Amino acid sequence: MKWRCHKLRNTRIVPFFVSLLVANLLQAIGTLINGKWAVDRAVHDGSLCRAQGGIKQAGNVAMALWSFTLALHVFMLLFSRVALTKTLSWLLLGAGWGMVVFVVAIGPAAIQTPERGPYFGPTGYWCWITEQYPHEQLYLEYFFEFLSAGMSFFLYTAVLLRVRGNLVKTSGKWNLRFVPHGERWILAIRRDAIDGYMMEIAARMVWYPVAYTVLLIPVTIARFVMFSGRDVPFGATIFADFVFNLQGVVNVALLLATGRLIPDTEALPIYEPRKRISMTSPEAFGITPFVLPPPPAQVVIVSDGRRSNLTRTASLSTVGTVDSQTPLFHIH
């Protein structure tokens, strides 16, 4: 990771990537404890069971939180061109992990009651928030996961549209525009070097929330089927949990695929404001396609003395150009 840290050190994004991987590590540790229940052929309530419940909730909530934080940070970098200071990045890091600890600790510390029993305990084939606390299962874990997936997808999509030139701000108003393939020069007018470098990166990073959502679907379906009172087949439960725990592998793969595309932020003025070009400015003339005038009509005298106008239809290759970026010069 050394060379990637060198490229990314001006963006303050490395701590958030590391936090995301730590969340994946917590998920993995919580899953490894299932080996104990497999050997015993039963899930036993106790200190290990409650520890597994807390670790699994911490990993899942942290995964949702840092996925959204990463999306928000990328949005600030590529959409708004706003840089985080070192102090603010460390404050966000501390606040994020503090929130994870709070969400996990509030259950056994403040919500658990003797009437409903332990907050963490056996829930099928592993330990988690027990069935006596259904609202806590929903609002203290699933809510964060669904909110993170939806908001991250929205932010990454906005970044991609921004760097491509589809989303522009004109006269104080945001406008969304789509053009045919042959008129992509319109989008290139307001695209600068940063957008050009980052467009492919943004296209890759959209897959973070997509992958997170896809991996979340099987375990969500299994959980809601169980909440409805119906039995979930053992094979379906194991498959859903296996898919959900692939998040760490997918995140590392996406990080490797995206990191090699990132340019050196010391050589690239990533925090420079976007250029503002009017469609009527001379700078836009070199990108705007031009159309040649039609050839003049030819006059031919036919045998009976009458005049006839002959015109020649020009081919498409002589009338206009597509995606031309060559400026026009007048030759004197």
Side-chain angles (χ1 to χ4, degrees):
M1 285 252 330
K2 183 178 179 181
W3 66 273
R4 290 184 178 84
C5 293
H6 171 73
K7 288 185 176 183
L8 294 172
R9 61 187 177 186
N10 290 344
T11 67
R12 313 293 180 193
I13 205 171
V14 174
F16 303 118
F17 267 126
V18 173
S19 295
L20 187 66
L21 297 180
V22 171
N24 295 143
L25 179 62
L26 289 174
Q27 290 177 321
I29 293 173
T31 302
L32 287 175
I33 298 176
N34 291 341
K36 167 66 174 175
W37 316 136
V39 172
D40 295 344
R41 296 182 178 273
V43 180
H44 304 290
D45 191 13
S47 58
L48 181 61
C49 177
R50 295 174 188 179
Q52 183 188 33
I55 292 172
K56 287 181 73 69
Q57 186 188 16
N60 296 339
V61 172
M63 176 66 191
L65 177 65
W66 294 118
S67 294
F68 171 72
T69 304
L70 184 62
L72 182 62
H73 189 52
V74 171
F75 178 84
M76 294 173 63
L77 287 175
L78 302 186
F79 190 96
S80 303
R81 300 277 179 91
V82 176
L84 278 180
T85 63
K86 185 177 181 179
T87 302
L88 184 57
S89 64
W90 284 110
L91 286 176
L92 287 175
L93 199 65
W97 282 112
M99 183 177 178
V100 172
V101 172
F102 173 78
V103 169
V104 175
I106 194 176
I111 300 176
Q112 178 177 303
T113 61
E115 293 77 15
R116 292 194 288 177
Y119 185 79
F120 292 120
T123 56
Y125 302 106
W126 53 76
C127 296
W128 187 53
I129 303 173
T130 57
E131 298 176 359
Q132 286 72 31
Y133 300 88
H135 292 93
E136 286 74 13
Q137 290 178 337
L138 178 62
Y139 293 110
L140 292 183
E141 182 164 326
Y142 286 125
F143 173 76
F144 291 108
E145 293 173 342
F146 291 129
L147 183 64
S148 172
M151 292 299 295
S152 298
F153 185 78
F154 172 79
L155 291 176
Y156 281 129
T157 302
V159 168
L160 180 59
L161 293 175
R162 179 68 160 143
V163 298
R164 288 187 74 249
N166 296 101
L167 186 62
V168 296
K169 191 174 185 180
T170 306
S171 302
K173 296 182 179 180
W174 289 101
N175 298 302
L176 186 61
R177 55 183 183 173
F178 295 95
V179 298
H181 179 77
E183 299 179 8
R184 288 181 299 173
W185 55 271
I186 298 176
L187 302 180
I189 291 178
R190 288 190 175 92
R191 190 185 304 154
D192 57 17
I194 310 301
D195 291 333
Y197 275 114
M198 297 301 177
M199 187 165 60
E200 189 173 357
I201 298 173
R204 297 281 183 94
M205 297 199 74
V206 171
W207 287 103
Y208 275 94
V210 172
Y212 179 64
T213 303
V214 171
L215 297 177
L216 183 64
I217 289 175
V219 71
T220 302
I221 295 175
R223 280 292 179 180
F224 278 103
V225 169
M226 187 182 68
F227 292 160
S228 66
R230 290 179 290 180
D231 293 331
V232 180
F234 175 77
T237 302
I238 298 301
F239 171 77
D241 192 55
F242 172 77
V243 171
F244 182 73
N245 284 282
L246 288 176
Q247 293 181 57
V249 177
V250 173
N251 285 334
V252 171
L254 289 174
L255 175 60
L256 294 175
T258 304
R260 64 183 181 83
L261 301 173
I262 298 176
D264 191 347
T265 53
E266 290 187 343
L268 204 58
I270 192 170
Y271 304 127
E272 289 292 324
R274 277 182 170 81
K275 65 178 182 178
R276 298 181 179 273
I277 300 177
S278 172
M279 290 296 293
T280 60
S281 67
E283 190 173 354
F285 291 163
I287 306 176
T288 307
F290 57 90
V291 178
L292 297 177
Q298 298 180 358
V299 179
V300 179
I301 306 299
V302 295
S303 58
D304 58 359
R306 292 177 300 172
R307 298 166 64 90
S308 176
N309 294 335
L310 298 179
T311 59
R312 182 182 65 181
T313 302
S315 66
L316 292 176
S317 61
T318 61
V319 172
T321 61
V322 178
D323 293 338
S324 174
Q325 296 187 4
T326 305
L328 299 179
F329 296 96
H330 294 286
I331 300 177
H332 300 285

